[in-house]
Amino acid sequence: MAITLSASDTPSPPLSARLSPPQVWAIALLAPYLLVFLAFVVYPVGYGLWLARQPSSYVALYNDPIFARAAVNTLIFLVIGINIKMLIALFLSGFFAQQRPWIRWLSVIFILPWAVPSIPTILSVRFMLNPEWGVVNQLIFKFTGDDGPNWLNDPAVALAMAIGVHIWKSLPFWTLILLTGRLAISHDLYEASDVDGANWWQKFRYITWPSMQTLYITCTLLSMIWTLGDFNSVYLLTGGGPADLTHVLSTLGIRYLRLDQLSLAMASIVCAMPFVLPLVYFMMKRLSR
């Protein structure tokens, strides 16, 4: 008697037989990156959200006056620091776009703060601002005969110094990005404007800015996202002091970690997500156009 097998009873070939050799190699090469992504991105983020799951953590965070001050400092840091940084980078990109030999050497010196690691550069600024033996106060005493101020003892001055360090450290990177946007503009447009008698402001308003507007806004949004996670400028310079009055949200989490309050540390980081998610949405919306 003949036995007929249905299609559902027919055993399917193994996965290796259904994949071509290039597909097998692609999976083999992709697997290590996928494992690293799961181990160092998905797992830490998921574990942090799990630690911050308790509503009581957010109640305690809301009742902590340092949290409110850190949220205000974060807004000040973003609004002032990023706008000043991007405006300076926009105009410095025009300066470095000039074809002069000495500008090339100057650009090498200008990019050093960004190229050197954050820890030695920011700590060197902190040592320079030391009220007793810092080089800044020594110069003030040398030229005026008066003792210099304690720069990091006043919360407003300390936060302003942290914003200045952040601008100084990241300004070369954004200047370089905007410089590439300037160099992509056709020189024929500027030559035609010279024939028409346009001045530098008219060239910037009608040629440079319309050509770089999308790049500038995208860089600003990306800079805001990165700045929210930048704790070096504040933590290495002021340590959140004096009296925990210069903390931002990124350094506030470190403060709770040092106090062995892990749930509050994760909750403070989760509270930064309302700042980050709208920025990511607007940036991806602009990039998808």
Side-chain angles (χ1 to χ4, degrees):
M1 179 184 297
I3 300 176
T4 59
L5 297 176
S6 61
S8 60
D9 296 333
T10 304
S12 59
L15 181 61
S16 58
R18 287 180 290 172
L19 297 176
S20 62
Q23 292 175 331
V24 174
W25 277 106
I27 295 175
L29 295 174
L30 185 62
Y33 295 97
L34 182 60
L35 293 176
V36 170
F37 179 77
L38 292 175
F40 294 99
V41 178
V42 176
Y43 174 73
V45 172
Y47 183 63
L49 294 176
W50 182 79
L51 290 174
R53 71 190 187 280
Q54 298 293 339
S56 58
S57 300
Y58 299 94
V59 175
L61 193 65
Y62 178 78
N63 294 327
D64 190 350
I66 300 178
F67 171 74
R69 183 62 181 256
V72 173
N73 290 340
T74 302
L75 288 175
I76 295 174
F77 204 100
L78 292 177
V79 173
I80 296 178
I82 292 176
N83 284 289
I84 293 177
K85 173 180 61 179
M86 297 307 298
L87 285 175
I88 296 175
L90 178 62
F91 287 100
L92 282 181
S93 64
F95 172 77
F96 286 108
Q98 302 179 69
Q99 300 296 328
R100 297 180 182 179
W102 61 273
I103 290 182
R104 298 178 182 177
W105 293 102
L106 183 61
S107 62
V108 175
I109 301 175
F110 175 74
I111 207 171
L112 284 179
W114 172 72
V116 178
S118 299
I119 294 178
T121 53
I122 298 178
L123 287 181
S124 64
V125 175
R126 183 172 181 173
F127 295 151
M128 291 171 62
L129 297 176
N130 188 280
E132 297 180 0
W133 42 263
V135 64
V136 176
N137 282 3
Q138 287 184 359
L139 290 176
I140 293 176
F141 181 79
K142 179 179 180 180
F143 290 106
T144 65
D146 298 329
D147 294 330
N150 192 342
W151 298 97
L152 303 180
N153 195 40
D154 183 85
V157 176
L159 185 62
M161 289 294 177
I163 294 174
V165 167
H166 169 76
I167 294 173
W168 168 72
K169 189 75 175 67
S170 57
L171 182 62
F173 174 79
W174 297 112
T175 303
L176 182 63
I177 297 298
L178 296 178
L179 176 61
T180 59
R182 280 185 179 268
L183 296 178
I185 303 174
S186 175
H187 290 282
D188 296 337
L189 299 175
Y190 293 105
E191 293 176 357
S193 64
D194 290 332
V195 174
D196 295 336
N199 55 29
W200 70 271
W201 171 249
Q202 292 171 332
K203 293 178 183 178
F204 175 80
R205 180 179 179 182
Y206 296 107
I207 298 176
T208 305
W209 177 247
S211 302
M212 298 182 60
Q213 184 177 6
T214 301
L215 176 63
Y216 181 84
I217 296 176
T218 303
C219 290
T220 302
L221 293 174
L222 186 59
S223 177
M224 293 179 72
I225 296 172
W226 289 354
T227 303
L228 279 170
D230 177 27
F231 67 93
N232 292 328
S233 302
V234 176
Y235 190 75
L236 295 178
L237 185 66
T238 69
D244 293 327
L245 295 177
T246 59
H247 274 297
V248 292
L249 291 178
S250 57
T251 61
L252 186 62
I254 300 178
R255 175 184 179 272
Y256 288 129
L257 285 176
R258 295 177 61 182
L259 296 175
D260 200 19
Q261 297 175 336
L262 190 58
S263 60
L264 288 181
M266 295 298 104
S268 64
I269 295 174
V270 171
C271 288
M273 294 182 65
F275 293 96
V276 177
L277 295 180
L279 298 176
V280 175
Y281 171 76
F282 286 117
M283 187 185 68
M284 297 306 297
K285 187 176 181 180
R286 294 194 64 87
L287 292 176
S288 62
R289 291 179 180 177

